[in-house]
Amino acid sequence: MTELAQNAVSAVRDYWDSHTLGFQYVRDKDLGIGTPEFFAHIRPWMNPYKFPWIMERIDKQAKLLRGKHLLEIGCGMGFDSLEFLKRGVRVTATDLTPSAVRLARRHFEIERVTPEEVRVENVLELSFRDNTFDAVWANGVLHATGDTRRAIQEVRRVLKPGARAIISHFYRKPSWMYLLSRFGKENIEYKEEDPPVNEFYTEREILAMFGGFDVIEAVQEHYRALPVCREGVKAALYTYGFKPFYNLIPSPIARRLAYKLSVTAVKRG
Ligand SMILES: C[S@@+](CC[C@H](N)C(=O)[O-])C[C@H]1O[C@@H](n2cnc3c(N)ncnc32)[C@H](O)[C@@H]1O
């Protein structure tokens, strides 16, 4: 990796190490981190609340992958890996940050599921051998690494020929969130700062990064503004100012302004 890329990775690691996805929903500061109560408290704010369409995707993919080996990139607290494990998929769960890996391990123990492994990995230089996995799952990760193209190609390298990358999601432009992010921070649910990297691409740019894959599905998602759990001025402006008006836009037009693009692609042999 170049020095620039290394610096981006360090900044991304520092940020996510102290903001593991889920902490923004903790309202009871006395909750013991990593206790069963902690995960139960966060659970309603994760999927399907965050991304209602994801559970259907997990169900569909897990049926195809039962008994097979899936790598999750950027697992955070392990909520998605947990769903795959419960559905009989063998899972290796990885994240850039030690704090996510610790929390995901704890989460799996509490839920009494057994992954193949949970470990720190950087998607920009994975330590796995070529052609290892039957599938890779990444949710909200690849566009936030500092080098999206390289992340996709590393995913390709570790997939077996004919195996699938299931990537939920990239950030699209033009989109309503791209517009909002130009006026201020993208983050509505964190009180604090945004992650150091969040790259927006046109759909054409995203698909062009899937060299060596056959793209079997590319879906525009998040074309409605969803509720947010956070209180405060920014959340109020979003909830009472932007959201009701934006959501009046007819679906076919709103879909063109969707904020996310999810891609499922199969590695060519
Ligand atoms: C938006 S969070 C999503 C977490 C989880 N997938 C979820 O949906 O709850 C992004 C995650 O990607 C991880 N991440 C960021 N850059 C990464 C990289 N280069 N390699 C692996 N993971 C990375 C972060 O540490 C963080 O846990």
Side-chain angles (χ1 to χ4, degrees), residues 12 16 21 46 74-75 95-97 121-123 139-141 145:
V12 169
W16 284 112
L21 197 93
M46 302 301 282
C75 65
D95 198 280
L96 183 64
T97 67
E121 283 284 340
N122 174 5
V123 69
N139 181 2
V141 184
T145 56

